[in-house]
Amino acid sequence: TFVLDLRQDEAALLHQMDGAERKIRKAEREGVTVSEVRSEGELRAYCQLSLETSARVRARSAYTEFPDRFFHAIYRELVPAGAARFYLGWHRGVPLAGCLFLCSREQMLYFLGGSSRDRELTAVQAPSAVFWHAIREAKRQGMVRFDFGGCTPTEDVDDPRYGVYAFKKRWGGRLETFYNLEVVLGPMGHFLQEHVFSPIWDRAHPAYFRLLAALRAR
């Protein structure tokens, strides 16, 4: 994961970027504004952006989207406690990008985001505006670390994970390794999940989500 040291001033953060600063300036010139989600209507806008992004990812690989009730639970339980924040990037009154960040006393962690892929609007760089706003807010709150939430380092432009890696790398953070611990409590259930159900799901999920989309459209 790439991590920014927020003890630096804003000028130093901008200086160490490798491309992100140009996108930030582009968003500013285009008039992109960023605000924290403060209403159920704004939260629904975030959920719609997340849904659109999930659909794009599923077109390339297996992916399970989070249901709206997941975000509503975070908004209801974690946001008032200061443990989570939703931000939306707007352009002429239209929400183009949204991000969910998890917060501790010392760190802000990017957890999930969504964005429009309208070709006429992606050039205004709303996602970059949202990240920069979040970084500045984290500094203002006295946090010392901004964690971009993980990536798969690769220089292979044909790798579907390259885009995420390249986006996060251009912010100039330090690349750190972190580890996850997997504890298998039920060996038989784990075997069935890994060798039976997951392979079936990898093949069946496109049809399942097409059916789900058709039912939603009714």
Side-chain angles (χ1 to χ4, degrees), residues 34-56 63 65-75 79 84-90 94-102 109-116 127 130-131:
V34 181
S35 60
E36 188 170 356
V37 169
R38 296 292 190 184
S39 69
E40 290 291 333
E42 292 176 347
L43 183 61
R44 286 194 295 271
Y46 172 87
C47 290
Q48 181 59 37
L49 289 169
S50 178
L51 182 64
E52 292 176 17
T53 302
S54 297
R56 292 198 303 271
Y63 182 79
E65 68 189 53
F66 291 95
D68 288 359
R69 64 180 179 274
F70 173 77
F71 299 114
H72 281 270
I74 290 176
Y75 183 72
V79 169
R85 295 183 182 189
F86 291 90
Y87 292 111
L88 282 174
W90 303 80
V94 178
L96 298 186
C99 291
L100 166 59
F101 299 91
L102 303 181
L109 166 70
Y110 169 62
F111 182 71
L112 200 65
S115 62
S116 169
V130 172
F131 270 91

Side-chain angles (χ1 to χ4, degrees), residues 14-217:
L14 288 166
H15 180 72
Q16 71 188 24
M17 294 179 188
D18 184 16
E21 75 285 2
R22 294 192 296 273
K23 296 180 181 297
I24 293 168
R25 290 195 295 269
K26 171 69 172 177
E28 291 173 347
R29 290 195 301 271
E30 294 288 347
V32 175
T33 60
V34 181
S35 60
E36 188 170 356
V37 169
R38 296 292 190 184
S39 69
E40 290 291 333
E42 292 176 347
L43 183 61
R44 286 194 295 271
Y46 172 87
C47 290
Q48 181 59 37
L49 289 169
S50 178
L51 182 64
E52 292 176 17
T53 302
S54 297
R56 292 198 303 271
V57 175
R58 284 199 309 272
R60 302 192 302 270
S61 61
Y63 182 79
T64 301
E65 68 189 53
F66 291 95
D68 288 359
R69 64 180 179 274
F70 173 77
F71 299 114
H72 281 270
I74 290 176
Y75 183 72
R76 182 179 65 250
E77 303 293 340
L78 298 186
V79 169
R85 295 183 182 189
F86 291 90
Y87 292 111
L88 282 174
W90 303 80
H91 183 253
R92 298 177 180 175
V94 178
L96 298 186
C99 291
L100 166 59
F101 299 91
L102 303 181
C103 305
S104 66
R105 186 172 298 176
E106 295 189 343
Q107 176 174 278
M108 181 177 286
L109 166 70
Y110 169 62
F111 182 71
L112 200 65
S115 62
S116 169
R117 272 299 174 261
D118 185 324
R119 293 300 181 185
E120 296 182 358
L121 297 174
T122 53
V124 304
Q125 301 299 333
S128 295
V130 172
F131 270 91
W132 181 234
H133 181 89
I135 290 166
R136 298 175 77 187
E137 279 296 296
K139 276 185 60 64
R140 190 177 68 83
Q141 293 293 323
M143 300 177 195
V144 297
R145 285 168 56 92
F146 185 91
D147 189 326
F148 280 86
C151 62
T152 300
T154 175
E155 299 300 334
D156 180 2
V157 296
D158 295 322
D159 190 314
R161 300 164 296 186
Y162 174 79
V164 172
Y165 169 68
F167 176 84
K168 295 179 178 181
K169 180 181 179 181
R170 65 172 59 105
W171 292 84
R174 181 179 66 256
L175 188 61
E176 297 183 356
T177 299
F178 65 94
Y179 300 90
N180 294 317
L181 177 66
E182 183 179 82
V183 180
V184 178
L185 301 179
M188 180 57 69
H190 182 262
F191 177 86
L192 290 173
Q193 173 185 297
E194 295 298 307
H195 299 284
V196 179
F197 298 122
S198 290
I200 291 174
W201 174 246
D202 289 344
R203 293 175 174 81
H205 80 274
Y208 168 78
F209 282 108
R210 284 195 296 270
L211 175 61
L212 191 62
L215 293 174
R216 283 174 174 168

